[in-house]
Amino acid sequence: MSSFDEMDAFEGASLSARAMAARSMQYLDELNPAQREAVEHLDGPVLMLAGAGTGKTKALTARIAHLLNTGRARPNEILSVTFTNKAAREMKTRVGRLLGQPAEGMPWLGTFHSICVKLLRRHAELVNLKSNFTILDSDDQLRLLKQLVQAANIDDKRWPARMLAGVIDDWKNRALTPDKVPAADAGAYNNKGVELYAQYQTRLRELNTVDFGDLLLHMVTIFQTHQDVLEQYQRWFRYILVDEYQDTNVAQYLWLRLLAGAHKNVCCVGDDDQSIYGWRGAEVGNILRFEKDFPGAFVVRLEQNYRSTPHILAAASNVIRGNENRLGKELWTDAEGGHKVKLIGHWDGEEEARWIGEEIDALVSGTSRLAHGRKNVRSVSSEQESERRSKSEYNALKQLNLQENLGTSNLPEDQKEEIRNKFELDEIAILVRASHQMRAFEDRFLTIGLPYKVIGGPRFYERMEIRDAMAYFRLVVSPEDDLAFERIVNTPKRGLGDKAQQTIQMTARENGVSLVDGARIVVEQGLIKGKGGAALRQLIEGLARWNAMTRGPRIEVEDDSVIDDGAAPMRFGAPEHTHIELAQIILDESGYTTHWQNDKTPEAPGRLENLKELVNQLDNFENLQGFLEHVSLVMDNEKESDGAKVSIMTLHAAKGLEFPAIFLPGWEDGLFPSQRSMDESGIKGLEEERRLAYVGITRAEEVCTISFAANRRVFGQWQNSMPSRFIDELPEDHVEVLTPPGLYGGGQTSAGIETRAAEANVYNSPGWRRLQARQGQYGMSQPKETRNTVIDATALASFTLGERVFHQKFGYGGVIGIEGDKVEVDFDKAGTKKVVARFLSAKDDVPF
DNA sequence: ATGAACTTCTTTTTT
DNA sequence: AGAAGTTCAT
């Protein structure tokens, strides 16, 4: 590895400090006082507590510009870490714009993971890896663990490999190598957790592979055990910036502390109220503890919000106030007017989807009652929004038309009003708690022809055909990738079943070689007869041929010790085919393309389409290796957007985004807050759910509509539920309760006796009564008929001994005793419990 | 070895 | 309701 001096020799690189100094410092004038403090306080530890919509990214990018402008650091000496690729991209473009040139000179602006890959490639040998290690995806990880579990003779029914994966992930998040797992965790995974973890790590090394957690873990290990390496980077990264600090886990925290340990020029930006990744190992404690970790830290709060109307802010603030452990911030805004947060209840999930669909139509056509007088709050729109707006020519044109219409035309007042109130589809988003909620909306929007897109949905690179194709590429690039081999030996079908694959495995193991080499031996010795043998020979020969095509003559490059260039030190001459051609050749010659061409299922054409898209994407990369690495790190795909669409996404995926109009459906106890969260993490879990609610509300600029349904299909069975407890936490003065359609006895929704049963149940719930009380207060009419007859269908259900039943909290079980309305159940997972009958449903019995 | 019929279990959230 | 995994007949 390069020495320090060599790095220093790189002084004149990229943007020179002098060029920067010549630029104006105009960006400072655009900041408010708090932002400006955060930007100008360059040295020593800084904690920037930035509430939602307070111009955090603006401050962060201005800070980078200022570091460069004042000559504190060169672009490649600033380490700037984000969590998501999206955030990294945005930072890059905005820094670029600020500097008036592309931010290519900022090689260390990226996600934790992408930066760690770069570092680890340079120091792989220190943790017994080769620098061309591959990165495992979760699919492969699971397959590998399954093998280990089976080899250890563990019943993977009782102890699923998934669970082991979770345990190991958790340890890695806490920066624990197998030898450091505390005794308290020894019982994990049936006492075998630690042992299997160690085996897993060994296996990964054998395969020259790392999983996601390893990227951080290995670097922490290296920094902890190789002082010289650490010091080198401590000196190189003169300034460190961290975005979304509240989401860091222990490993990331250690990594940062090690790197910042010498100069402590670290600026962490975050919002404890937006910490929503605790389940993934994020430690809110990191941000709460910052001042202790870095004594003398300069703490600055950004509290002026540029995004939302006062009503929306008030609603969000009131909800988050319910949390105990916060650093405490109060958002405020200059803006005035705007709409109250809307609240509406529905009969069931489908009706909720239908209603939202109609409201979106109304918003788009300018006739929505949700958004009268939109113009009043336009001035509030934040920077991000105006950027988005200016990006879209279509929108710009529309703005022009709008002004023309308002100013010069003789349109009647009401028509002008309509134009004023119009929203674009891409200004509207639906944020759900759990992704299964999306289906109702997709179904509905498809039938009414409303254009929508699912953000962060099933990802391009996670599709079966893409992963298959990638496995071929991987195998061609690195023939020792056994996992890739396993994936594609019999895809497309080659007549190589379990038995044939076992033969290959055994041969490989006996000879101590990779599966590809094992298979080659199998072919040479003719261990597999007939069709399968011939097909295997063809595959092996193909792999060798394609592998040869990846490179021309090999060229040794002298160690280029340039620290800010992540490229591997070995290069090859120009191959005969471009990697794009090669990819096509691989897919065609392996028979994979044909496989889908012959497939009669309706999704086959789409899959072929995706494969084509995959090959097209290769154009953006120099070679297959580069592409593969990109994919393993950047699993998201920016789909080409043809025309404006409504966005549907999870609340988690919505963090960092904003929309003029937001719909928040499914606010029902058990769904949101999620039952599982509360069961697993108690108060902590509930508080995280509440932060999620806060994140959701604060995404809205002008219109925020919260809704809940009395009935919802869960696992194919109807369940009724109470409005979310968070609804109680909304401040009445800032909420308008809309009258649910179908409440007046009539309507499409009441369907006979079943309706009555469920209505009785829900309308007697405390949540519903609260809602009704509120409606009265707002002068809205009561339902014509108040039904007090309690006919609770589920309570009437009788159970028999031995019957299979389901409980929402405890899962499946068998009935072992009955006492009145209490039933004793031996649950598969939760043990024996006595529960009230109405919380149980017969396994094959629909409650209504 | 393969596909069709049958089962079991799922639902958080993701770099 | 649907995916994913299992079993069974070809």
Side-chain angles (χ1 to χ4, degrees):
Chain A
M1 187 41 223
S2 61
S3 78
F4 228 128
D5 302 329
E6 282 169 307
M7 291 191 292
D8 278 345
F10 212 58
E11 186 101 22
S14 22
L15 272 81
S16 81
R18 242 163 297 123
M20 292 310 312
R23 305 204 82 85
S24 78
M25 293 202 187
Q26 193 197 336
Y27 53 86
L28 288 179
D29 302 332
E30 293 166 9
L31 303 172
N32 68 33
Q35 289 169 335
R36 192 162 173 152
E37 274 190 285
V39 167
E40 292 190 310
H41 196 109
L42 291 177
D43 297 307
V46 174
L47 177 63
M48 196 196 302
L49 292 169
T54 55
K56 167 193 76 168
T57 310
K58 187 176 189 178
L60 214 43
T61 46
R63 191 180 164 90
I64 292 177
H66 205 47
L67 281 170
L68 299 172
N69 242 345
T70 53
R72 290 287 208 298
R74 286 163 285 153
N76 55 359
E77 292 170 333
I78 299 174
L79 174 65
S80 184
V81 218
T82 65
F83 269 83
T84 64
N85 295 297
K86 201 167 59 190
R89 264 196 306 271
E90 194 191 340
M91 287 267 286
K92 266 199 174 136
T93 34
R94 287 178 68 165
V95 169
R97 193 172 329 143
L98 222 47
L99 301 180
Q101 58 178 289
E104 292 310 321
M106 298 262 324
W108 300 106
L109 193 169
T111 63
F112 274 103
H113 298 273
S114 66
I115 287 171
C116 279
V117 172
K118 262 191 192 174
L119 295 175
L120 192 53
R121 291 242 185 262
R122 308 204 135 258
H123 304 283
E125 76 284 359
L126 298 180
V127 284
N128 296 320
L129 288 164
K130 288 185 280 174
S131 87
N132 64 346
F133 61 83
T134 54
I135 303 163
L136 222 57
D137 60 47
S138 54
D139 233 37
D140 295 327
Q141 182 188 24
L142 208 58
R143 216 135 30 92
L144 194 52
L145 285 171
K146 227 172 230 166
Q147 290 172 10
L148 291 173
V149 167
Q150 272 160 11
N153 266 325
I154 292 171
D155 178 12
D156 65 345
K157 274 269 161 32
R158 266 185 81 102
W159 302 97
R162 256 204 122 71
M163 181 194 271
L164 179 59
V167 170
I168 291 178
D169 261 6
D170 186 51
W171 283 331
K172 289 190 175 175
N173 284 338
R174 288 154 59 196
L176 299 170
T177 45
D179 54 303
K180 289 206 195 115
V181 172
D185 285 8
Y189 195 73
N190 198 17
N191 298 319
K192 298 271 177 54
V194 186
E195 192 188 329
L196 285 165
Y197 178 23
Q199 286 177 19
Y200 172 65
Q201 292 303 90
T202 309
R203 192 84 187 94
L204 289 181
R205 285 210 169 90
E206 286 167 7
L207 292 166
N208 194 32
T209 281
V210 300
D211 66 17
F212 253 79
D214 280 339
L215 293 173
L216 261 300
L217 180 61
H218 283 327
M219 281 320 298
V220 169
T221 307
I222 289 171
F223 286 157
Q224 283 173 338
T225 53
H226 294 80
Q227 189 65 26
D228 54 326
V229 177
L230 174 62
E231 281 172 8
Q232 180 185 316
Y233 288 105
Q234 284 178 335
R235 277 194 54 197
W236 183 259
F237 299 132
R238 303 163 72 107
Y239 289 87
I240 301 176
L241 292 89
V242 191
D243 196 8
E244 307 281 13
Y245 188 61
Q246 76 281 355
D247 289 336
T248 47
N249 61 32
V250 172
Q252 289 156 339
Y253 166 79
L254 288 174
W255 187 86
L256 283 168
R257 269 196 57 154
L258 286 162
L259 281 173
H263 51 58
K264 302 198 169 56
N265 289 328
V266 57
C267 173
C268 291
V269 186
D271 180 357
D272 50 315
D273 292 334
Q274 293 188 65
S275 163
I276 54 176
Y277 286 108
W279 52 273
R280 207 174 69 190
E283 290 278 341
V284 213
N286 290 347
I287 195 167
L288 301 174
R289 231 188 20 245
F290 187 85
E291 289 177 83
K292 278 195 194 118
D293 288 336
F294 295 98
F298 178 71
V299 181
V300 56
R301 286 177 158 74
L302 306 191
E303 298 178 290
Q304 181 174 7
N305 176 290
Y306 297 95
R307 177 185 295 161
S308 312
T309 66
H311 286 308
I312 291 169
L313 284 187
S317 299
N318 213 61
V319 169
I320 199 64
R321 203 167 289 146
N323 275 4
E324 293 285 333
N325 288 318
R326 345 176 16 221
L327 291 171
K329 276 182 279 64
E330 195 70 37
L331 296 182
W332 59 276
T333 176
D334 272 344
E336 290 170 10
H339 306 281
K340 291 187 174 182
V341 170
K342 318 288 176 173
L343 178 63
I344 184 166
H346 297 282
W347 170 245
D348 63 17
E350 278 162 41
E351 188 190 296
E352 183 181 52
R354 193 179 318 129
W355 185 84
I356 290 180
E358 281 162 16
E359 286 307 322
I360 290 175
D361 273 338
L363 283 171
V364 170
S365 62
T367 57
S368 171
R369 59 179 166 157
L370 298 184
H372 274 305
R374 186 179 184 204
K375 201 68 201 290
N376 296 343
V377 288
R378 263 290 161 87
S379 56
V380 187
S381 13
S382 69
E383 183 167 337
Q384 244 184 59
E385 198 225 350
S386 58
E387 270 167 27
R388 190 172 64 234
R389 200 171 293 283
S390 69
K391 249 190 292 178
S392 152
E393 269 181 58
Y394 174 77
N395 276 339
L397 271 175
K398 185 169 167 278
Q399 283 296 102
L400 209 69
N401 284 338
L402 189 144
Q403 277 162 20
E404 228 163 67
N405 283 333
L406 295 179
T408 62
S409 84
N410 296 318
L411 282 175
E413 238 345 276
D414 57 333
Q415 280 187 39
K416 285 187 194 168
E417 179 69 21
E418 265 189 30
I419 294 170
R420 269 198 287 267
N421 289 337
K422 268 184 189 165
F423 282 69
E424 297 298 328
L425 283 174
D426 59 4
E427 295 180 316
I428 304 171
I430 300 169
L431 312 184
V432 297
R433 176 62 184 83
S435 44
H436 70 264
Q437 290 172 264
M438 292 180 181
R439 180 180 297 154
F441 294 100
E442 294 198 58
D443 283 354
R444 184 64 194 159
F445 294 175
L446 280 173
T447 56
I448 64 173
L450 183 66
Y452 71 89
K453 58 182 168 185
V454 172
I455 310 272
R459 298 169 186 192
F460 185 70
Y461 295 117
E462 277 171 9
R463 289 164 206 263
M464 184 206 317
E465 66 275 18
I466 299 305
R467 307 185 68 138
D468 287 342
M470 304 259 302
Y472 273 103
F473 300 163
R474 275 162 58 190
L475 204 49
V476 168
V477 170
S478 34
E480 71 277 13
D481 192 334
D482 286 357
L483 293 160
F485 181 83
E486 283 171 27
R487 184 172 180 107
I488 55 89
V489 236
N490 204 26
T491 311
K493 299 269 179 288
R494 296 191 171 88
L496 297 164
D498 282 350
K499 203 154 154 265
Q501 292 187 39
Q502 270 172 28
T503 311
I504 298 173
Q505 293 272 4
M506 271 182 48
T507 313
R509 206 167 314 147
E510 279 165 13
N511 292 277
V513 294
S514 70
L515 289 180
V516 175
D517 288 336
R520 185 172 296 116
I521 297 172
V522 167
V523 169
E524 282 162 4
Q525 303 187 350
L527 295 175
I528 296 174
K529 310 265 184 286
K531 226 173 112 199
L536 185 62
R537 155 164 275 133
Q538 224 192 334
L539 175 65
I540 294 298
E541 287 171 357
L543 285 171
R545 196 169 59 247
W546 304 321
N547 178 269
M549 289 183 193
T550 57
R551 49 174 179 262
R554 197 166 148 165
I555 297 170
E556 294 284 339
V557 177
E558 65 281 17
D559 186 359
D560 58 341
S561 313
V562 183
I563 203 167
D564 61 340
D565 168 16
M570 196 98 72
R571 298 250 169 72
F572 297 93
E576 190 181 339
H577 297 275
T578 70
H579 61 293
I580 302 172
E581 289 164 346
L582 176 57
Q584 196 60 60
I585 290 171
I586 296 172
L587 293 180
D588 291 344
E589 292 187 359
S590 64
Y592 195 69
T593 315
T594 322
H595 169 234
W596 286 114
Q597 280 164 350
N598 295 340
D599 192 293
K600 302 275 188 298
T601 54
E603 53 266 28
R607 299 201 193 267
L608 283 166
E609 198 59 33
N610 289 337
L611 287 172
K612 224 163 99 193
E613 174 63 22
L614 177 74
V615 175
N616 286 341
Q617 296 250 334
L618 284 168
D619 201 19
N620 303 324
F621 298 88
E622 279 187 19
N623 52 40
L624 279 181
Q625 289 95 320
F627 175 68
L628 290 172
E629 172 161 320
H630 168 82
V631 167
S632 46
L633 288 174
V634 186
M635 291 288 278
D636 64 347
N637 53 320
E638 287 283 296
K639 274 256 191 93
E640 75 299 348
S641 51
D642 36 81
K645 290 174 179 169
V646 173
S647 299
I648 306 176
M649 66 188 100
T650 63
L651 287 162
H652 284 86
K655 192 162 76 157
L657 303 179
E658 57 185 358
F659 295 87
I662 288 281
F663 288 92
L664 300 169
W667 280 44
E668 297 129 42
D669 253 39
L671 178 59
F672 188 42
S674 131
Q675 192 61 48
R676 188 164 159 186
S677 252
M678 294 187 291
D679 290 347
E680 283 176 4
S681 317
I683 286 286
K684 262 183 91 180
L686 179 64
E687 294 209 337
E688 183 153 313
E689 295 287 308
R690 189 176 280 117
R691 292 192 290 267
L692 215 35
Y694 175 79
V695 167
I697 297 171
T698 53
R699 297 311 94 191
E701 293 165 2
E702 300 172 42
V703 187
C704 178
T705 308
I706 295 170
S707 60
F708 58 91
N711 299 287
R712 200 174 283 280
R713 231 203 303 243
V714 180
F715 302 151
Q717 290 189 253
W718 284 99
Q719 302 253 185
N720 49 16
S721 43
M722 260 172 55
S724 168
R725 64 194 69 190
F726 298 149
I727 285 177
D728 291 339
E729 301 174 2
L730 297 169
E732 306 200 348
D733 291 348
H734 302 280
V735 174
E736 177 186 345
V737 180
L738 303 178
T739 313
L743 236 195
Y744 297 93
Q748 335 76 319
T749 52
S750 15
I753 185 89
E754 306 130 20
T755 303
R756 201 176 303 144
E759 269 182 18
N761 203 327
V762 169
Y763 290 180
N764 278 317
S765 74
W768 185 257
R769 281 202 297 273
R770 287 185 306 253
L771 186 69
Q772 283 191 325
R774 200 174 280 177
Q775 272 182 347
Q777 191 183 336
Y778 281 81
M780 305 195 96
S781 10
Q782 297 287 320
K784 268 185 189 156
E785 209 185 326
T786 314
R787 302 179 211 262
N788 283 323
T789 15
V790 178
I791 306 173
D792 189 340
T794 46
L796 296 180
S798 57
F799 298 98
T800 51
L801 286 178
E803 187 178 353
R804 230 22 216 156
V805 293
F806 176 80
H807 184 279
Q808 180 152 39
K809 183 167 169 183
F810 302 124
Y812 289 91
V815 175
I816 56 174
I818 301 172
E819 295 167 31
D821 64 339
K822 301 253 175 63
V823 180
E824 196 172 5
V825 183
D826 182 22
F827 289 103
D828 298 351
K829 287 181 183 145
T832 301
K833 309 240 187 250
K834 235 179 242 178
V835 297
V836 182
R838 45 184 263 269
F839 292 123
L840 286 174
S841 56
K843 199 183 153 299
D844 297 310
D845 206 33
V846 179
F848 298 123

